[in-house]
Amino acid sequence: MYEYVFERYDQMGKKALQLLKQQFQHRPSYELYKKAIAYAAPSVKEELYALLARQSFYSYVKAEIDYNEGNSKELLQYVTKTASFPILFRSV
């Protein structure tokens, strides 16, 4: 009986993760990212993050992940790439 329950639970977990990954691919968000990595091994975390790195349209989601995970180097790159104002240097 226990084997059956654990097997069904494992199958449901895999299906839930697959659904979350599909949703994330179509409409990435930080909330979906958190839900998906709660179910999965670190490899899924890397997979979702790499997906965002390839899709520049969703770079703001990657920046939110970087911010919340303390990845300041990547966050700084996002800020400097998306800055819409000129940085002027003048001597004082």
Side-chain angles (χ1 to χ4, degrees), residues 2 6 14 24 52 57 68:
Y2 286 116
F6 286 123
K14 288 177 185 176
F24 186 83
L52 291 174
F57 184 74
N68 286 296

Side-chain angles (χ1 to χ4, degrees), residues 6-36:
F6 286 123
E7 183 178 312
R8 295 294 295 166
Y9 180 77
D10 187 45
Q11 289 173 355
M12 289 172 42
K14 288 177 185 176
K15 287 180 182 178
L17 176 60
Q18 183 179 17
L19 179 61
L20 284 170
K21 285 171 57 176
Q22 287 174 350
Q23 287 179 326
F24 186 83
Q25 289 175 345
H26 294 294
R27 286 188 84 91
S29 72
Y30 182 63
E31 290 76 24
L32 282 176
Y33 174 82
K34 289 190 307 185
K35 287 179 184 179

Side-chain angles (χ1 to χ4, degrees), residues 42-71:
S43 62
V44 171
K45 181 178 179 178
E46 294 167 8
E47 177 185 344
L48 298 178
Y49 190 82
L51 174 76
L52 291 174
R54 290 189 305 267
Q55 296 179 350
S56 61
F57 184 74
Y58 294 109
S59 61
Y60 67 94
V61 177
K62 183 179 170 294
E64 188 173 4
I65 292 168
D66 290 332
Y67 173 78
N68 286 296
E69 293 186 356
N71 191 351

Side-chain angles (χ1 to χ4, degrees), residues 70-84:
N71 191 351
S72 57
K73 182 180 175 184
E74 290 292 324
L75 186 58
L76 180 62
Q77 283 183 337
Y78 170 78
V79 171
T80 56
K81 283 182 182 179
T82 60
S84 60

